[in-house]
Amino acid sequence: MTFVILQPCCNDASCVDVCPVDCIHPTPDEPGFMTSEMLHIDPDTCIDCGACVDECPVDAIRADHELEPEQERYLGINANYFQFHPMQSSGYNTVASPFKGVDFTGRRIAIVGSGPAAFYAATELASIRGIEVEMYDRLLTPYGLVRAGVAPDHPGTKAVTDLFRAVGGKKSVRIHLGVEIGSDISHEELLEHHDAVIYATGASNDRRLGIAGEDLPGSHAAAEFVGWYNGHPDYADRSYDLTSERAVIVGNGNVALDIARVLLVSPDELENTDIADHALEALRGSKIREVVVLGRRGSAQAAYTNPELIGLMNAADIDIVLSADEAEPDPATLAALESGTTEPSTALKVELAREIAAGDGQGAGSDPNRKRIVLRFCVSPDEILGEESVTSVRLIHNELRTDESGTVKAQRTSTEEMLDTGLILRSVGYHGSEIPGVPFDSGVGVIPNKDGRVIDNSGEAVSGTYATGWIKRGPTGVIGTNKKCAAETIRSLLEDIAADRLPHARADRAELDLLLEKRAPDALDFPAWARIDKAEVSAGKDTGRPRVKFVGLDEMRLAAQPPSTDLS
């Protein structure tokens, strides 16, 4: 028997630390970790101890004899990884291990943000005796994209919040919700009241297409649409035209596939999730029956991960359609496949595309009454058309060329086609936001840094200022990728403390509390969030849902109030 890692894998790598025979790879210390779609268990080395099962935060590990038929493909995915990447020892150490003799008593660290990157940083810091952690978020709810970005029908992925909840409840960690850095409190004031500041603000802005018609009504950013159906308060009042039969998504990453699935899955299935009530009501009246997902390069370069596509292929009542011509990879990839030198994940992408095109699995597209997702490759939007709103999009076909570095690039051709649609969602990446007083690279949308240390225009480290997560490295990786990213940043911070490069904050915690009370008197703490959380879960029990999300700030604040202690 062996254990198998499945689709929900978040790359947290907690399982790596507890494996007694080092059979889970890639580890955080291996080069492929930051780009790997998932972790893998070597079936020839696994001793069936089950330690990884108990440690996995998203319930993504099963014994091989417990696999459902649609999960059996993961046996090969796990085993094939080790045929291409022979086993090697990880030697992975915790962040704190090199600093056991250093006194961190009274060190106060600010973390701006409360998503996965922020909580992984807080987890590292909270494990070190003497360090105080102050977390800040402009929203009244924590967990970032785990709450507002993960698809509502992926509850297993959201289970990672159980880890974060434990950290938020530690005495050395305080969380301030409803405090906006750069508005309520400046970067300079944070440095006055903390020894260091770690920015974990993510990348909330969408990248634009830069084509005519992009701002027509009916053309929207995918990030806003995701926020809308997940109950993000910034987007709760948005509306989307769901009256046409076809929607088009530009980009083919995991977010694009999530949106396609949410648009087409039966509302009866969604009503058992934590989708926002306003979105569920709108989707019940949706006329959309086809979602076209556009990718500018080929099937081998698709931005989605294999586990995400496999999950979609197993979705009930949705066909996946792909032409045989577009399923075929570029010549360079085809040659690598034939020679056996292709990465297993790339080879599997091509295999899955061919399988869909052949109609061998879910998605033959034979029943015209079924809803369907159409995967398109080697096409790019050239212009969005319409007078008062979107009516169609002009597509340009691409040829794939391999440059001198071996990178496959899309080259426009003269072939065009028109696609009628009333809804276009651009899902071509995210972009970070600038924080006043903090260096920012507007070209790539990140805070410039070296190993998490923020640097200025001259390349010099900015004292006491650090970054982690998407604002540090760009919008890449999955939830668990942020764990290694945060560990690198925390290691840099601890090195600076150990080398006496970070002076103590000029103001103490009492002065910090006075400042917060003055600037953000309506801020909520973690116990207040726990009351919101409890109220949401309680509201969902009557209808069999995991929770009913509050989207209005007033209802959140009302739910956050402590119970009355009036005994009269």
Side-chain angles (χ1 to χ4, degrees):
M1 188 184 80
T2 183
F3 283 90
V4 183
I5 297 180
L6 306 173
Q7 177 191 357
C9 176
C10 69
N11 282 35
D12 172 282
S14 298
C15 54
V16 171
D17 295 336
V18 299
C19 179
V21 293
D22 190 28
C23 74
I24 305 176
H25 293 262
T27 72
D29 287 334
E30 292 172 350
F33 178 79
M34 297 297 282
T35 57
S36 179
E37 293 184 344
M38 57 181 284
L39 303 183
H40 311 80
I41 293 176
D42 181 10
D44 293 333
T45 309
C46 177
I47 59 172
D48 312 332
C49 69
C52 56
V53 177
D54 295 333
E55 196 69 19
C56 178
V58 295
D59 194 26
I61 305 177
R62 292 282 187 279
D64 55 4
H65 66 276
E66 296 177 339
L67 297 180
E68 301 293 334
E70 64 271 16
Q71 296 172 330
E72 290 180 357
R73 187 191 295 268
Y74 285 92
L75 278 167
I77 292 175
N78 279 255
N80 290 343
Y81 175 85
F82 294 95
Q83 292 181 11
F84 200 88
H85 301 278
M87 287 274 292
Q88 52 184 308
S89 178
S90 67
Y92 183 63
N93 293 315
T94 63
V95 171
S97 55
F99 304 100
K100 290 183 178 179
V102 181
D103 184 7
F104 293 102
T105 302
R107 290 292 188 170
R108 189 180 316 115
I109 312 299
I111 301 176
V112 181
S114 66
F119 266 101
Y120 280 125
T123 301
E124 296 285 2
L125 291 171
S127 68
I128 301 172
R129 184 184 299 274
I131 289 184
E132 302 170 352
V133 179
E134 308 280 348
M135 298 179 69
Y136 301 87
D137 200 302
R138 70 178 185 87
L139 298 178
L140 297 181
T141 56
Y143 307 143
L145 287 181
V146 177
R147 177 179 171 92
V150 173
D153 56 349
H154 279 5
T157 305
K158 301 183 183 188
V160 72
T161 58
D162 292 340
L163 296 178
F164 301 159
R165 186 181 302 111
V167 175
K170 288 182 176 292
K171 291 183 178 180
S172 61
V173 178
R174 300 198 307 178
I175 300 178
H176 311 278
L177 302 170
V179 180
E180 185 168 5
I181 306 306
S183 177
D184 296 322
I185 299 176
S186 69
H187 169 67
E188 291 75 17
E189 288 171 325
L190 276 183
L191 286 176
E192 288 180 6
H193 293 81
H194 305 81
D195 298 7
V197 180
I198 302 171
Y199 285 95
T201 50
S204 58
N205 294 331
D206 68 286
R207 294 186 182 276
R208 294 178 61 82
L209 299 173
I211 61 175
E214 186 172 10
D215 294 318
L216 279 170
S219 173
H220 307 275
E224 296 177 1
F225 189 76
V226 170
W228 171 74
Y229 66 61
N230 272 318
H232 193 299
D234 289 352
Y235 309 116
D237 61 350
R238 302 294 173 90
S239 61
Y240 298 91
D241 184 357
L242 306 178
T243 60
S244 63
E245 290 194 354
R246 176 187 291 136
V248 174
I249 304 175
V250 183
N252 60 10
N254 285 353
V255 172
L257 296 194
D258 279 345
I259 293 173
R261 189 181 63 256
V262 169
L263 281 170
L264 295 181
V265 73
S266 168
D268 292 341
E269 291 186 32
L270 290 175
E271 72 178 3
N272 297 318
T273 72
D274 66 355
I275 190 172
D277 284 347
H278 58 257
L280 182 59
E281 181 180 356
L283 289 168
R284 285 193 183 282
S286 173
K287 304 298 183 184
I288 295 174
R289 302 195 61 78
E290 177 180 280
V291 178
V292 181
V293 180
L294 307 179
R296 63 184 176 87
R297 296 192 293 171
S299 59
Q301 295 81 35
Y304 54 71
T305 61
N306 287 313
E308 189 71 22
L309 182 60
I310 292 170
L312 189 62
M313 292 169 67
N314 292 326
D317 302 324
I318 299 176
D319 285 346
I320 308 177
V321 180
L322 172 61
S323 73
D325 289 344
E326 292 188 7
E328 286 305 299
D330 58 282
T333 300
L334 186 59
L337 284 170
E338 293 174 348
S339 65
T341 58
T342 306
E343 277 278 352
S345 61
T346 301
L348 182 56
K349 281 186 177 179
V350 175
E351 178 186 333
L352 294 175
R354 287 170 169 170
E355 183 176 314
I356 292 170
D360 291 339
Q362 182 77 26
S366 58
D367 185 350
N369 295 318
R370 287 168 60 90
K371 296 179 180 180
R372 66 183 202 165
I373 294 172
V374 181
L375 298 181
R376 295 293 308 274
F377 294 107
C378 298
V379 290
S380 299
D382 186 57
E383 182 181 8
I384 298 173
L385 304 169
E387 294 186 5
E388 295 183 356
S389 63
V390 171
T391 58
S392 61
V393 57
R394 177 184 292 115
L395 304 180
I396 295 291
H397 289 216
N398 302 320
E399 287 185 350
L400 299 183
R401 306 278 186 177
T402 305
D403 64 16
E404 295 178 354
S405 67
T407 302
V408 177
K409 295 188 175 181
Q411 181 174 318
R412 293 162 60 98
T413 69
S414 59
T415 304
E416 299 181 357
E417 68 173 288
M418 298 294 295
L419 203 58
D420 293 335
T421 182
L423 176 65
I424 294 180
L425 299 167
R426 59 182 182 271
S427 182
V428 291
Y430 296 93
H431 198 272
S433 299
E434 184 174 4
I435 299 164
V438 181
F440 187 71
D441 185 337
S442 58
V444 293
V446 301
I447 294 175
N449 68 92
K450 183 176 181 181
D451 298 332
R453 295 182 179 92
V454 175
I455 57 176
D456 59 22
N457 291 333
S458 65
E460 295 295 319
V462 179
S463 179
T465 309
Y466 304 81
T468 190
W470 281 5
I471 197 65
K472 168 189 173 183
R473 67 182 191 274
T476 61
V478 293
I479 289 173
T481 311
N482 293 293
K483 185 175 184 180
K484 179 184 179 182
C485 184
E488 179 186 66
T489 295
I490 299 304
R491 186 175 289 108
S492 294
L493 188 155
L494 297 180
E495 287 174 355
D496 291 343
I497 293 178
D500 204 25
R501 289 192 286 264
L502 291 183
H504 284 270
R506 290 189 291 272
D508 61 20
R509 211 170 199 180
E511 292 176 273
L512 172 62
D513 290 343
L514 289 175
L515 178 67
L516 290 171
E517 186 174 345
K518 177 181 178 181
R519 298 290 182 80
D522 296 326
L524 303 181
D525 56 16
F526 201 65
W529 152 248
R531 290 190 286 272
I532 296 175
D533 182 40
K534 182 178 180 180
E536 288 185 342
V537 172
S538 177
K541 285 183 178 179
D542 294 338
T543 55
R545 301 175 65 184
R547 70 175 62 239
V548 174
K549 286 182 177 177
F550 298 140
V551 298
L553 301 184
D554 290 340
E555 60 181 346
M556 288 184 192
R557 293 191 183 281
L558 181 62
Q561 295 300 311
S564 173
T565 56
D566 185 4
L567 302 179
S568 62

